[in-house]
Amino acid sequence: MIAFLGMGLLGSNFTKALIKKGEKVNVWNRTASRAKALESVGAKAFDNITDAVKDVDVIHIVVKDDAAVSEVLAAAEQGMKPGATIIDHTTTSAEGAVERTKAWKAKGFTYLHAPVFMGPQNALESTGVMLASGDQNVIAKVEPALAKMTGKFINLGPQEGKAAGMKLIGNLFLISLTGGLTDMLSLAKVHDVSFDDVKELFNNWNPGAMVQARLQRITSGDYTNPSWELNMARKDAGLMMNAASKAGAPLNVIPSVAAEMDKWIEKGFGNSDWTVIASDVVNGK
């Protein structure tokens, strides 16, 4: 028997997938109607959270944030079976994950943070990526079941909180990517380039393939022998901002990057590879 707490888009689709795999699942949600809706696919919904977790060996939870995780689990604690395992898929702070791991262990329970790079459809289809880190004995015990819930299960090792940190790192990239794409589409409108034409550009040119090489260049700490000089990259950023400014078009990401470029040009790195703007991060300054 499994309990799933939090019937948002991820939680409800995780539940549907688990039931399709033959699992019996108790469900609970603060808005009871969301849990009740899952009864049509075979879940057992509870209005009282302590009843939902009673006699259950494994409790999954995916809610909004650290505070919600702590609040929901505190409410459920009285009904928990001694020694139950809690699997938390919520995107949280690393500090919160570490603290909860320690606190629940002291109470005689197992808590594992297992955040995901999965959208609702991934949860339904058991695709995408699930992360975990911490006690390797715990992970070894739960990995077979968790691996069935995702396309790829990644064990990041014994460091508590590492999975939480890696999840935030990945999400930062996604947020930055969307911010950059928004700037790009704004500039496309300035130049009377249709969004369909922009999409066609990326059908023929895939800059995503450059990510690994760019990361290698940045983290190497060697910004000599430039493939794109900082001065030239800053010139291009200027052209973008000038065109956008004349048209009254918003750019959110590029101006911040350009300001950082200016700092490094003033330091005398204009002829270096433009990735030198990451130097302080890489060198720990």
Side-chain angles (χ1 to χ4, degrees):
M1 179 71 73
I2 294 171
F4 219 112
L5 310 178
M7 290 294 102
L9 296 175
L10 277 180
S12 59
N13 277 1
F14 268 134
T15 296
K16 292 173 184 177
L18 287 166
I19 290 171
K20 285 182 180 179
K21 292 179 173 64
E23 299 285 354
K24 294 181 179 180
V25 187
N26 292 348
V27 295
W28 173 90
N29 194 73
R30 294 188 201 204
T31 303
S33 59
R34 289 189 177 183
K36 290 288 185 183
L38 273 297
E39 290 188 328
S40 63
V41 297
K44 188 173 182 179
F46 291 84
D47 292 330
N48 191 318
I49 193 170
T50 56
D51 291 335
V53 299
K54 186 178 180 181
D55 298 323
V56 169
D57 293 313
V58 180
I59 301 164
H60 293 263
I61 179 171
V62 56
V63 287
K64 181 182 178 181
D65 53 22
D66 285 279
V69 173
S70 296
E71 182 180 342
V72 169
L73 291 180
E77 183 178 359
Q78 187 176 353
M80 288 183 190
K81 180 179 180 180
T85 296
I86 302 163
I87 309 292
D88 181 10
H89 303 292
T90 308
T91 299
T92 70
S93 67
E95 294 85 355
V98 172
E99 290 170 3
R100 282 186 291 276
T101 301
K102 182 178 179 180
W104 285 100
K105 183 177 182 179
K107 295 178 180 181
F109 298 93
T110 297
Y111 171 95
L112 179 70
H113 190 225
V116 299
F117 290 119
M118 299 169 68
Q121 194 64 28
N122 295 120
L124 186 63
E125 298 173 350
S126 300
T127 56
V129 175
M130 185 178 294
L131 311 174
S133 66
D135 189 323
Q136 294 298 287
N137 291 326
V138 169
I139 293 176
K141 182 179 179 181
V142 302
E143 181 174 354
L146 295 182
K148 294 177 182 178
M149 295 173 63
T150 184
K152 189 172 187 178
F153 180 87
I154 302 177
N155 179 354
L156 296 168
Q159 181 182 332
E160 299 287 358
K162 187 174 182 178
M166 195 69 79
K167 166 64 174 176
L168 292 177
I169 290 166
N171 277 10
L172 185 147
F173 178 83
L174 295 177
I175 291 170
S176 301
L177 175 64
T178 299
L181 290 174
T182 302
D183 275 12
M184 181 192 71
L185 293 175
S186 186
L187 192 63
K189 293 178 74 173
V190 168
H191 289 93
D192 197 26
V193 174
S194 73
F195 292 168
D196 285 338
D197 284 341
V198 173
K199 289 182 231 178
E200 184 60 26
L201 169 65
F202 289 102
N203 284 334
N204 293 290
W205 172 60
N206 178 21
M210 304 176 188
V211 172
Q212 289 290 356
R214 185 61 53 82
L215 272 173
Q216 181 60 37
R217 180 62 183 263
I218 291 172
T219 58
S220 73
D222 180 7
Y223 309 108
T224 58
N225 300 316
S227 59
W228 193 12
E229 289 186 354
L230 178 58
N231 282 328
M232 297 303 290
R234 179 61 180 87
K235 178 266 295 182
D236 289 359
L239 291 172
M240 300 167 197
M241 292 189 294
N242 287 339
S245 178
K246 289 178 182 178
L251 292 180
N252 299 310
V253 175
I254 289 300
S256 294
V257 177
E260 190 63 25
M261 290 177 172
D262 289 339
K263 292 178 185 178
W264 285 91
I265 290 171
E266 289 174 7
K267 293 178 184 179
F269 290 90
N271 294 322
S272 298
D273 190 86
W274 85 282
T275 54
V276 72
I277 65 173
S279 180
D280 282 352
V281 173
V282 172
N283 294 318
K285 294 181 180 178

